[in-house]
Amino acid sequence: MAHVVTQPCCNDAGCVAVCPVNCIHPTPEERIHARTEMLYIDPATCIDCGACVDECPVDAIVPPEDLTPAMQPFVDMNAAYYEDNPTPEPVAASELPKVARGSGVLRVAIVGSGPSACYLADALCTHRGLDVEISMIERLPVPGGLVRYGVAPDHSSTKSIAGTFTRIMGRRNVDVYLDVEVGRHLTHDDLLRHHHAVVYASGATGDRALGVPGEGLAGSMSAREFVAWYNGHPEYADLRLDLSCQRAVVVGNGNVALDVARVLTSDVSRLMTTDIAAHALEALAASRIREVVVLGRRGARSASFSTPELLGLGEIPGVDVTASGIDHGSAEMSALEHIRADILTRYAETDPMAGRRRIHLQFLRSPVEVLGNGRVEYLRTAVNALDEHGGVGETGEFEDIETGLVLRSIGFRGERRPGVPFDEDRAVIPNLAGAAIDPDSGERVPGVYTAGWLKRGPSGVIGSNKTCSAETAASIVGDFVEGRHATPAGDRKAFAALVSARQPDYLDLQGWRRIDAFERNAGRSAGRPRVKVVSTSAMSSVARGEPAVAR
């Protein structure tokens, strides 16, 4: 029996390169043309050498002797991928720009410290023949971005990739500037004067609105805000949530929606073993929510959540998962789609037990109005139906769902950066292979690049950023080789002096390491992985070795 890729898969694809028999797919080159939710090992060609296990940063690859009954669906999913996609001939990796000896030092500023920023720094630092200096600039006192503030607390394996990113930031040619904000302490022009290239890799920090009446009522908010709250983001730590209702509704059915549903329905004893913020743990312990309805406008086949996340819902102790409106349409399904359909059918046939919490996946419903007197009391939805071609049409019928909490999870939005072109419709920096494009002239903007969600929109998982950032790195290096960059007026030392003058209290990587150690020590005392510091002032105190408390 072969090794198996399981739920924590981050799509990093580092395992692909170490496989001696080319049995892990899709490769980064194959993913340029087709996105998938995870990687898969071909059971027919795997030789059980175990090289991929050592390479996996999130412990997602399991040898056959360690498989549990709960992992059996992943055995089927790995095999099903190759039913749909016979092992292809190896695709040659794109040839990276060659750097001639004596080309000088390439200086790059990266705005952001999440996965796309770290993968970009790694791609540049490991580019053969390239002498590079990187300034990584993060507006918060701690790095991590999506890994720290976006990954659900009960996905501890996924969070473990943070160690890889800290090692990347710790390279001798990478300077990390924390608690430094571009637009406040530094300007876009400041960065350009001191670097050949400036890369915006700060993610999508806004969210899309429903655009329905009543959306602004108390008790209606974005899932992004809720996730930031339970993950201890300092800007949302003081958010006050009323969890006294019996039912919550999450509008949208991507992975974030399922994360929110899991957190709201999990028994607090399960969350006590995670790094969820202490204030969230306290609030959830007093929560009266017994049911979460996850609402999708389209049919089940069009849902955005991944199959591993869908499967994981059924493993929450004390929680029943049910589903309705799961018509998959008449089109033929692939082997992987059949597995997904079988999971949903099983949920639809579940008879919920009295006294247990419940997650209900409701498809073919569109929110049309949030109702209530001063705060949320109902969500009015339009009943939809699939036509013979699988399209969604209205039936003219409506249903009201009684609820006290409505969380919209319909997509994140990137936000405009001063002096940088921006596509308001797509909420991204318009670009060609990561190089920023002026939307009016269609010309490239000299020295300006992007990576991650600001480049391609909010899609993919953590590892999806690796290929995205490698593409941006190739554009930067190619422009450097071709002499398209302006020569920086200031060097590494001059930039450090500028940051010190503008933000004397900035933190470096050593400061983050002190915060990390403090949180882990506090976690050990509480029997948890870490207890997060959620106040920026407390973070600064800890980073400087001053007395502080974890709150």
Side-chain angles (χ1 to χ4, degrees):
M1 191 174 182
H3 281 59
V4 175
V5 182
T6 61
Q7 188 275 331
C9 179
C10 69
N11 245 332
D12 177 288
C15 54
V16 172
V18 301
C19 178
V21 293
N22 187 38
C23 76
I24 307 177
H25 295 269
T27 66
E29 291 72 36
E30 292 163 357
R31 279 188 290 161
I32 292 173
H33 306 290
R35 292 178 181 172
T36 58
E37 56 194 26
M38 58 182 287
L39 301 177
Y40 305 90
I41 292 177
D42 185 353
T45 57
C46 175
I47 59 173
D48 286 337
C49 68
C52 55
V53 175
D54 295 332
E55 186 68 22
C56 180
V58 295
D59 299 327
I61 302 176
V62 180
E65 63 271 18
D66 292 341
L67 288 170
T68 66
M71 294 176 182
Q72 184 58 43
F74 292 99
V75 177
D76 300 336
M77 286 166 60
N78 278 249
Y81 175 81
Y82 292 94
E83 288 182 37
D84 303 327
N85 305 275
T87 303
E89 292 296 320
V91 178
S94 301
E95 189 170 340
L96 297 174
K98 290 184 171 60
V99 181
R101 184 171 297 180
S103 296
V105 178
L106 169 64
R107 289 191 41 75
V108 180
I110 302 175
V111 181
S113 66
S116 61
C118 290
Y119 281 129
L120 176 63
D122 187 48
L124 290 169
C125 288
T126 56
H127 193 103
R128 179 178 291 183
L130 182 66
D131 190 359
V132 63
E133 294 174 351
I134 295 171
S135 305
M136 187 175 289
I137 302 145
E138 168 59 55
R139 69 184 183 89
L140 294 175
V142 293
L146 178 67
V147 176
R148 182 175 173 92
Y149 293 124
V151 176
D154 58 350
H155 282 0
S156 58
S157 293
T158 304
K159 287 175 177 282
S160 64
I161 201 170
T164 299
F165 294 153
T166 298
R167 286 191 291 274
I168 291 169
M169 289 184 283
R171 289 197 170 107
R172 61 173 180 78
N173 52 344
V174 178
D175 296 323
V176 178
Y177 298 97
L178 304 172
D179 204 10
V180 177
E181 186 171 358
V182 178
R184 179 185 172 202
H185 302 111
L186 300 171
T187 67
H188 173 66
D189 288 340
D190 288 332
L191 301 183
L192 281 174
R193 279 195 299 271
H194 291 81
H195 303 86
H196 294 91
V198 178
V199 187
Y200 288 92
S202 49
T205 53
D207 44 68
R208 300 185 183 277
L210 293 174
V212 302
E215 187 174 6
L217 285 173
S220 172
M221 61 189 296
S222 73
R224 178 189 62 82
E225 294 170 304
F226 183 70
V227 169
W229 171 76
Y230 68 57
N231 272 327
H233 193 294
E235 294 172 358
Y236 298 91
D238 294 328
L239 200 64
R240 292 291 174 258
L241 295 177
D242 185 351
L243 304 179
S244 62
C245 55
Q246 294 281 309
R247 179 187 294 119
V249 178
V250 183
V251 180
N253 51 23
N255 284 346
V256 173
L258 300 195
D259 287 345
V260 168
R262 276 199 328 276
V263 169
L264 282 171
T265 55
S266 289
D267 188 89
V268 72
S269 62
R270 179 174 181 266
L271 297 175
M272 285 177 66
T273 62
T274 74
D275 69 350
I276 191 170
H279 60 257
L281 192 61
E282 181 180 352
L284 289 165
S287 170
R288 296 180 60 198
I289 293 175
R290 305 296 298 176
E291 179 184 22
V292 176
V293 177
V294 180
L295 207 69
R297 181 182 70 86
R298 297 177 295 177
R301 192 172 184 181
S302 300
S304 299
F305 48 65
S306 67
T307 305
E309 293 298 328
L310 177 65
L311 185 64
L313 285 185
E315 299 174 2
I316 310 171
V319 177
D320 290 320
V321 183
T322 58
S324 57
I326 64 164
D327 185 351
H328 295 283
S330 58
E332 284 190 19
M333 290 189 287
S334 67
L336 278 173
E337 286 175 325
H338 272 296
I339 290 176
R340 181 185 176 102
D342 288 346
I343 296 169
L344 284 167
T345 299
R346 187 173 77 243
Y347 290 159
E349 294 172 349
T350 296
D351 187 13
M353 296 175 59
R356 286 165 61 94
R357 295 184 178 89
R358 180 161 77 126
I359 296 173
H360 182 67
L361 306 177
Q362 174 66 70
F363 299 97
L364 297 172
R365 296 291 185 276
S366 297
V368 295
E369 187 173 4
V370 182
L371 304 169
N373 183 17
R375 65 167 298 106
V376 174
E377 296 176 12
Y378 293 90
L379 177 66
R380 178 158 295 166
T381 67
V383 179
N384 300 326
L386 293 179
D387 61 28
E388 59 182 3
H389 304 294
V392 176
E394 297 180 357
T395 64
E397 299 177 7
F398 298 90
E399 286 182 355
D400 288 351
I401 304 174
E402 185 175 358
T403 179
L405 180 63
V406 173
L407 299 170
R408 64 181 183 276
S409 183
I410 56 173
F412 300 107
R413 279 184 59 87
E415 298 186 323
R416 180 183 290 276
R417 309 303 298 253
V420 180
F422 193 70
D423 183 332
E424 289 289 352
D425 292 334
R426 296 184 58 223
V428 299
I429 295 174
N431 68 92
L432 177 63
I437 300 293
D438 185 311
D440 297 322
S441 67
E443 299 294 322
R444 289 178 55 170
V445 181
V448 182
Y449 302 83
T450 184
W453 284 4
L454 259 181
K455 172 185 172 183
R456 67 182 192 275
S459 63
V461 293
I462 287 173
S464 307
N465 293 289
K466 190 171 185 177
T467 303
C468 172
S469 293
E471 180 185 57
T472 299
S475 292
I476 294 170
V477 176
D479 287 347
F480 180 63
V481 170
E482 295 296 325
R484 297 194 185 103
H485 294 137
T487 303
D491 60 10
R492 185 177 187 177
K493 186 176 180 180
F495 185 69
L498 176 66
V499 175
S500 294
R502 299 280 185 81
Q503 165 54 324
D505 297 325
Y506 85 87
L507 303 177
D508 58 13
L509 192 60
Q510 187 58 39
W512 157 240
R513 287 188 170 123
R514 291 194 188 100
I515 295 171
D516 184 40
F518 179 88
E519 291 181 339
R520 290 178 184 275
N521 287 335
R524 276 192 286 273
S525 301
R528 302 175 60 196
R530 70 171 66 233
V531 174
K532 287 181 176 176
V533 182
V534 300
S535 140
T536 54
S537 60
M539 290 175 185
S540 296
S541 296
V542 172
R544 292 178 171 80
E546 300 166 0
V549 295
R551 76 157 294 276

